[in-house]
């Protein structure tokens, strides 16, 4: 049996001395907070993020870019972006004997997170937070970013993976998902819209966050205004539409993504409008006409992408997503496909909302 890691000794590598306790509810990295409430310690999941050097370079370069912008605006840069704490050796992380990798951020006091948007104000503020993040990075040299998870939002490849899973039928489950497979494949033509737009230059390549859940924004605990975007491990180059669409997939859904009662699953256009309003207030002239034209579509595409990923995993025997009950991934896929259908039915309304904004 391996020897337990002494987390206090790891803190000491960052010239910090404090007791620590488990913090937050993240699904990827293990997170702790010092009892002084000044620092966050995280173990990076190197099973997913296989190159911590490249990952931390992305984070440091992006946060430094934002820091300079905030300072020029007279904003408190220590509350407007994450601050990476260096080790005694001037490095951005510590690698232990068991190959576990740890980093430290300054904790942003006076901040709060929201797990689920409950009203228009939450979504409007979330839109402002992610819109400002995008706007601050419009002049960032995207070609210097490393891909921490290659092809993460390449929906064409996600469809190809589903087709392979259907063909191989490793677990014999195909017989149970005929309707879901038909639904997914009938919309496969949509998968290439953003990918081809990036390739032909009609959609600009930008810095993208790629995990735009509302709980990845810190809000001021008094004013409730957005402070900074966190969880930057998936910051890569991509399309602004990935971030907008994924935020809508999660934030404008009436239910959790594993709700089994599909009568409770629908897309809330009012929450869509609130987020879009905040997002576009910051992006302004920096968003292109083609991007604006596809904002509603992006909500459908990113929901579809997640649905086919769940369906693929179900067919492959639940090898990627953690499941907590039988057929969990199939339940999730059906949930996302119900949301896709509702978005399709409301697409004219969504496009009109964007046009009016």
């Amino acid at each position: 049996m391996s020897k337990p890691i002494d987390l206090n000794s790891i803190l000491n590598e960052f010239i910090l001395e404090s007791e620590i306790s488990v913090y937050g509810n993240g699904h990827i990295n293990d997170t702790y907070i010092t009892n002084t409430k000044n620092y966050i310690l995280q173990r990076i999941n190197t099973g997913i993020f296989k190159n911590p050097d490249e990952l931390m370079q992305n984070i440091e370069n992006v946060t430094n870019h934002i820091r300079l912008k905030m300072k020029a605006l007279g904003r408190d840069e220590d509350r407007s972006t994450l601050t990476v704490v260096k080790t005694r050796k001037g490095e951005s992380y510590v690698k232990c004997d068991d190959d576990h990798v740890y980093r430290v951020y300054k904790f942003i006091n006076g901040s709060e997170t929201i797990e689920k948007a409950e009203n228009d104000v939450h979504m409007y503020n979330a839109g402002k937070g992610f819109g400002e993040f995008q706007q601050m990075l419009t002049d960032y040299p995207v070609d210097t970013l490393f891909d921490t998870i290659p092809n993460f939002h390449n929906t064409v490849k996600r469809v190809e993976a589903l087709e392979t899973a259907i063909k191989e039928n490793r677990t014999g489950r195909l017989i149970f998902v005929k309707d879901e497979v038909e639904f997914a494949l009938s919309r496969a033509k949509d998968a290439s819209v953003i990918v081809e737009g990036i390739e032909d230059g009609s959609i600009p390549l930008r810095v993208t966050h790629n995990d735009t859940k509302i709980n990845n924004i810190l809000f001021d605990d008094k004013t409730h205004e957005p402070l900074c975007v966190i969880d930057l491990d998936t910051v890569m180059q991509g399309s602004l539409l990935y971030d907008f669409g994924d935020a809508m997939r999660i934030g404008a859904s009436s239910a959790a993504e594993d709700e089994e009662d599909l009568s409770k699953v629908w897309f809330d256009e009012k929450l869509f409008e609130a987020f879009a309003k905040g997002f576009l207030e910051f992006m302004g002239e920096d968003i292109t006409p083609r991007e604006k034209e596809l904002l509603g579509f992006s909500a459908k595409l990113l929901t579809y992408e997640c649905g086919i990923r769940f369906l693929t995993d179900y067919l492959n025997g639940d090898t990627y997503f953690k499941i907590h009950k039988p057929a969990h991934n199939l339940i999730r896929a059906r949930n996302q496909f119900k949301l896709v259908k509702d978005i399709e039915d409301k697409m004219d309304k969504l496009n009109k909302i964007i046009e009016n904004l």
Side-chain angles (χ1 to χ4, degrees), residues 51 60 146 174 203 224 236 238 240 250 252 259 287 300 303 323 345 355:
N51 193 322
E60 286 194 271
F146 298 101
L174 184 61
I203 296 174
H224 309 297
M236 295 176 277
L240 165 154
I250 301 165
E259 172 59 58
I287 190 169
K300 171 190 168 180
T303 306
I323 60 170
D345 292 343
E355 183 182 331

Side-chain angles (χ1 to χ4, degrees), residues 26-31 42-46 49 103 231 233:
H27 298 305
I28 305 299
N29 302 316
D30 297 331
T31 303
Q42 277 190 327
R43 181 176 72 83
I44 301 171
N45 186 334
T46 49
F49 303 108
R103 65 176 169 218
D231 198 1
D233 292 340

Side-chain angles (χ1 to χ4, degrees), residues 6-38:
D6 181 0
L7 296 178
N8 288 317
S9 70
I10 293 171
L11 279 180
N12 190 47
E13 290 295 321
F14 292 90
I15 326 179
L16 304 175
E17 293 183 8
S18 177
E19 296 298 317
I20 62 172
S21 53
V22 175
Y23 184 76
N25 58 1
H27 298 305
I28 305 299
N29 302 316
D30 297 331
T31 303
Y32 309 87
I33 188 170
T34 62
N35 290 353
T36 59
K37 307 296 185 188
N38 289 328

Side-chain angles (χ1 to χ4, degrees), residues 17-123:
E17 293 183 8
S18 177
E19 296 298 317
I20 62 172
S21 53
V22 175
Y23 184 76
N25 58 1
H27 298 305
I28 305 299
N29 302 316
D30 297 331
T31 303
Y32 309 87
I33 188 170
T34 62
N35 290 353
T36 59
K37 307 296 185 188
N38 289 328
Y39 299 96
I40 290 287
L41 171 70
Q42 277 190 327
R43 181 176 72 83
I44 301 171
N45 186 334
T46 49
I48 294 175
F49 303 108
K50 301 182 185 303
N51 193 322
D53 280 322
E54 293 181 352
L55 180 145
M56 292 307 298
Q57 279 186 58
N58 280 358
I59 292 173
E60 286 194 271
N61 290 339
V62 164
T63 54
N64 287 339
H65 189 90
I66 294 173
R67 184 177 299 278
L68 290 173
K69 292 285 187 74
M70 292 299 183
K71 189 172 183 180
L73 291 170
R75 300 260 293 275
D76 183 349
E77 62 265 33
D78 285 337
R79 284 170 60 77
S80 301
T81 192
L82 292 174
T83 301
V84 176
V85 178
K86 295 300 185 72
T87 69
R88 293 175 183 272
K89 298 177 181 178
E91 297 171 344
S92 58
Y93 66 86
V94 167
K95 187 173 183 180
C96 300
D97 292 339
D98 61 358
D99 289 334
H100 284 177
V101 172
Y102 291 85
R103 65 176 169 218
V104 169
Y105 292 122
K106 285 185 179 179
F107 182 74
I108 299 178
N109 287 291
S111 64
E112 63 180 5
T113 57
I114 298 171
E115 289 302 315
K116 168 69 177 169
E118 302 294 342
N119 52 53
D120 294 2
V121 174
H122 285 168
M123 285 297 279

Side-chain angles (χ1 to χ4, degrees), residues 21 275 289 298 305 347:
S21 53
F275 184 93
S298 74
E305 177 191 288
M347 189 59 68

Side-chain angles (χ1 to χ4, degrees), residues 123 127 130-131 134 153 194 208-212 239-252 267 271-280 283 287 291-292 294-300 302-303 350 353-354 357:
M123 285 297 279
F130 284 120
Q134 283 282 347
H153 279 313
I194 296 178
T208 48
H209 183 278
N210 296 300
D211 190 14
T212 46
S239 169
L240 165 154
L241 296 162
Y242 294 152
D243 281 1
F244 187 93
D246 204 32
M248 294 299 91
R249 177 187 78 84
I250 301 165
F267 190 79
L271 294 181
F272 172 90
E273 181 174 12
F275 184 93
K277 185 174 186 291
F279 190 86
L280 292 172
M283 283 305 294
I287 190 169
E291 287 173 316
K292 194 178 295 184
L294 290 172
L295 288 177
F297 171 80
S298 74
K300 171 190 168 180
L302 272 291
T303 306
L350 303 184
I353 287 169
I354 298 299
L357 287 174

Side-chain angles (χ1 to χ4, degrees), residues 226-241:
L227 286 175
C228 82
V229 172
I230 60 173
D231 198 1
L232 304 179
D233 292 340
T234 52
V235 165
M236 295 176 277
Q237 51 183 304
S239 169
L240 165 154
L241 296 162

